[in-house]
């Protein structure tokens, strides 16, 4: 049984411990209220002059309290741009951002930025110094998307697309569809460091308004990619070549392939349900080789030919044509990267580095001479797993081909 004096001592001990612990807690002395933050959703960087750049920040503008809604319940924000673009010039990003902060009565907050757009002139010069700021600021996440613009980045951010609240939101959602090559800030940094300044960025441009719509209905869209060499622009590639890069890099997803088949060369379209590709490097007798293994599963979505997909021969005809189309796209992409740009955005260097780490350390300085000479072979497997809701072609079955 505890005596009364001992209980008093223990009680005071507990009080003392709680008091000391409370003094050591940081509490909320450095808190910043949400209402005091200017949330950045996107940032654009343009070349303003020889010595100055222009930084444009797209800042989220919350809807006004009590905004009107229509009878269907859709909010006013669906027809209004929910962002404000503020710009300033400086010798670097940090300098320009500090000037923007002077214009904004709230603390700039980078924690929600999802999109970075690099203007055409910025990409033509060198992006290394600008990436340093993006990668160094703790609030900026490595998963933020980065694009190269074929026009001024400021113009991209200022667009007010119909289907989304702002241009950054539209670019982010386009990325989520996985129809185009995607690149995050973190992945780009790894790619540039591992490939001696070689990288690739989705390129974005301003599309004209739909027919009959006013000029302010222009919208941003991804149109191919910008290829980087020594951290600056080597050239642009179109959407078809971009698909080839995605095949090599195992980034292909939902894509429609249309081929001409049958005696009438009628178009047949298949939707890629699943696609995987793998690079298998090999060095033999001083020859550097890569075997590209592609395994795909497709769904037939339109058949305007007389080929009967319900018969084995008809299925094999379509699968072979799809295989040839994939190989043709990859060969064209390979030719552009090896002979025209000499830029390894296909992942060959990464594959050789993983398999031959010691030899790679010795030869990586000569990769610009080795890469154009790398021999490539293909093993492509295509399988149609679903003919859709109907198996027979639109034309009469008795006139069908393939069986």
């Amino acid at each position: 049984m505890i005596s009364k004096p001992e209980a008093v001592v223990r009680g005071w001990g507990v009080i003392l411990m709680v008091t000391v612990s409370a003094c050591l807690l940081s509490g909320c002395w450095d808190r910043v209220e949400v209402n005091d933050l200017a949330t950045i959703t996107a940032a654009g960087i343009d070349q303003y002059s020889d010595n100055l750049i222009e930084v444009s920040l797209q800042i989220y503008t919350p809807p006004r309290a009590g905004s009107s809604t229509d009878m269907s319940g859709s909010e006013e924000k669906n027809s209004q741009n929910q962002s404000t673009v503020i710009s300033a010039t400086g010798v670097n990003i940090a300098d320009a951002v500090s000037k923007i902060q002077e214009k904004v009565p709230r603390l700039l907050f980078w924690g929600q930025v999802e999109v970075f757009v690099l203007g055409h002139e910025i990409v033509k010069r060198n992006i290394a110094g600008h990436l340093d700021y993006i990668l160094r600021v703790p609030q900026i996440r490595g998963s933020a998307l980065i694009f190269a613009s074929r026009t001024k980045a400021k113009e991209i951010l200022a667009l007010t697309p119909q289907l989304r609240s702002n241009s950054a939101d539209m670019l982010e959602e386009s990325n989520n569809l996985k129809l185009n090559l995607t690149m995050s800030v973190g992945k780009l940094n790894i790619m540039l460091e591992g490939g001696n300044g070689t990288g690739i960025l989705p390129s974005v441009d301003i599309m004209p308004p739909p027919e009959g719509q006013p000029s302010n209905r222009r919208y941003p869209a991804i149109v191919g990619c910008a290829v980087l060499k020594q951290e600056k622009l080597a050239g642009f590639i179109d959407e078809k070549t971009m698909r080839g890069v995605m095949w090599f890099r195992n980034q292909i997803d939902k894509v429609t392939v249309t081929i001409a088949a049958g005696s009438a060369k009628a178009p047949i379209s298949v939707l890629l349900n699943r696609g995987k590709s793998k690079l298998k490097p090999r060095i033999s007798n001083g020859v550097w080789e890569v075997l590209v293994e592609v395994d795909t599963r497709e769904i037939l979505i339109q058949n305007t030919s007389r080929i009967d997909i319900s018969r084995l021969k008809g299925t094999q005809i379509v699968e072979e044509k799809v295989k040839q189309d994939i190989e043709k796209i990859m060969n064209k992409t390979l030719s552009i990267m090896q002979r025209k740009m000499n830029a390894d955005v296909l992942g060959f260097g990464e594959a050789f580095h993983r398999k031959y780490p010691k030899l790679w350390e010795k030869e990586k300085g000569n990769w610009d001479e080795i890469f154009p000479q790398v021999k490539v072979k293909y093993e492509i497997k295509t399988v149609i797993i679903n003919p859709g809701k109907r198996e027979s072609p639109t034309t009469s079955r008795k006139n069908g081909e393939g069986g």
Side-chain angles (χ1 to χ4, degrees):
M1 185 174 179
I2 302 175
S3 61
K4 186 174 181 180
E6 187 178 352
V8 172
V9 171
R10 286 191 178 185
W12 279 108
V14 170
I15 293 173
L16 180 61
M17 186 181 300
V18 172
T19 303
V20 172
S21 299
C23 293
L24 296 176
L25 294 176
S26 59
C28 300
W29 61 272
D30 60 345
R31 73 186 186 280
V32 179
E33 299 291 344
V34 174
N35 292 338
D36 296 329
L37 296 177
T39 302
I40 302 168
T41 56
I45 308 167
D46 290 304
Q47 195 69 39
Y48 186 79
S49 65
D50 287 340
N51 301 317
L52 293 175
I53 65 167
E54 183 178 35
V55 174
S56 302
L57 301 182
Q58 188 180 84
I59 299 174
Y60 173 69
T61 305
R64 296 176 181 177
S67 60
S68 61
T69 58
D70 58 22
M71 294 300 291
S72 63
S74 60
E75 295 183 2
E76 187 180 356
K77 67 178 182 179
N78 291 333
S79 60
Q80 293 186 357
N81 188 16
Q82 291 207 347
S83 63
T84 301
V85 177
I86 302 178
S87 305
T89 60
V91 294
N92 58 20
I93 297 179
D95 184 34
V97 169
S98 68
K99 294 176 181 177
I100 293 177
Q101 181 63 85
E102 295 173 0
K103 302 177 182 179
V104 179
R106 296 186 178 190
L107 180 66
L108 295 175
F109 178 63
W110 288 94
Q112 295 296 321
V113 64
E114 297 291 348
V115 169
F116 285 92
V117 181
L118 306 180
H120 183 262
E121 292 299 321
I122 287 288
V123 182
K124 282 177 62 177
R125 296 191 177 208
N126 195 292
I127 67 171
H130 308 301
L131 278 179
D132 181 81
Y133 179 89
I134 296 172
L135 293 165
R136 194 178 295 273
V137 174
Q139 290 179 350
I140 299 176
R141 294 171 290 180
S143 59
L145 302 175
I146 186 165
F147 299 86
S149 174
R150 299 202 182 195
T151 181
K152 285 190 174 183
K154 182 179 181 179
E155 295 176 1
I156 298 291
L157 299 189
L159 294 174
T160 55
Q162 285 181 288
L163 299 179
R164 289 290 169 181
S165 58
N166 55 55
S167 55
D169 190 26
M170 189 166 185
L171 289 175
E172 185 184 0
E173 288 302 316
S174 297
N175 169 76
N176 292 339
L177 293 175
K178 298 182 179 180
L179 298 176
N180 303 288
L181 185 138
T182 62
M183 187 61 62
S184 67
V185 170
K187 288 181 179 179
L188 177 64
N189 181 53
I190 293 172
M191 195 174 185
L192 293 175
E193 289 185 348
N196 298 322
T198 301
I200 190 167
L201 288 172
S203 64
V204 60
D205 204 353
I206 299 176
M207 297 292 101
E211 187 175 353
Q213 295 290 324
S215 59
N216 63 351
R217 292 302 187 185
R218 298 186 304 165
Y219 61 95
I222 298 173
V223 286
C225 290
V227 177
L228 306 177
K229 186 71 181 292
Q230 296 178 349
E231 297 170 332
K232 58 184 178 181
L233 182 67
F236 287 102
I237 58 175
D238 60 20
E239 289 91 337
K240 201 163 189 178
T241 308
M242 176 184 68
R243 296 279 186 272
V245 174
M246 294 170 69
W247 278 113
F248 278 105
R249 295 186 62 85
N250 191 28
Q251 293 184 358
I252 205 74
D253 201 3
K254 298 288 189 298
V255 62
T256 299
V257 177
T258 300
I259 49 97
S263 57
K265 300 298 181 184
I268 299 176
S269 295
V270 298
L271 176 66
L272 184 69
N273 180 257
R274 185 174 76 251
K276 292 183 179 180
S277 57
K278 186 176 182 180
L279 304 181
K280 290 190 173 181
R282 180 172 177 263
I283 301 176
S284 178
N285 298 322
V287 178
W288 296 55
E289 300 176 341
V290 172
L291 173 64
V292 184
E293 292 183 346
V294 177
D295 187 6
T296 72
R297 301 291 183 270
E298 294 91 17
I299 299 173
L300 184 68
I301 57 175
Q302 188 169 8
N303 180 10
T304 59
S305 74
R306 293 182 176 180
I307 295 177
D308 190 348
I309 203 71
S310 66
R311 302 181 183 182
L312 178 60
K313 185 178 178 181
T315 302
Q316 290 174 339
I317 290 173
V318 176
E319 290 174 345
E320 180 62 27
K321 286 290 185 179
V322 173
K323 172 184 173 181
Q324 292 173 6
D325 186 79
I326 293 173
E327 185 170 339
K328 181 180 177 181
I329 292 173
M330 296 180 76
N331 262 329
K332 179 186 175 183
T333 301
L334 179 68
S335 177
I336 292 173
M337 295 307 159
Q338 284 188 319
R339 294 173 177 81
K340 184 178 179 180
M341 296 186 177
N342 191 12
D344 177 22
V345 298
L346 310 178
F348 288 5
E350 301 170 24
F352 280 109
H353 187 188
R354 285 192 299 268
K355 187 168 183 180
Y356 304 99
K358 292 183 180 179
L359 181 61
W360 175 258
E361 288 300 320
K362 181 181 177 182
E363 298 289 350
K364 66 180 181 180
N366 303 318
W367 186 237
D368 279 351
E369 291 74 39
I370 296 173
F371 172 66
Q373 307 302 322
V374 175
K375 306 297 182 183
V376 177
K377 296 180 181 179
Y378 303 95
E379 284 187 5
I380 302 175
K381 181 180 180 181
T382 63
V383 179
I384 295 178
I385 59 172
N386 191 336
K389 290 190 295 184
R390 61 182 300 167
E391 293 185 353
S392 59
T394 304
T395 54
S396 174
R397 183 180 285 267
K398 68 179 182 179
N399 295 324
E401 301 176 51

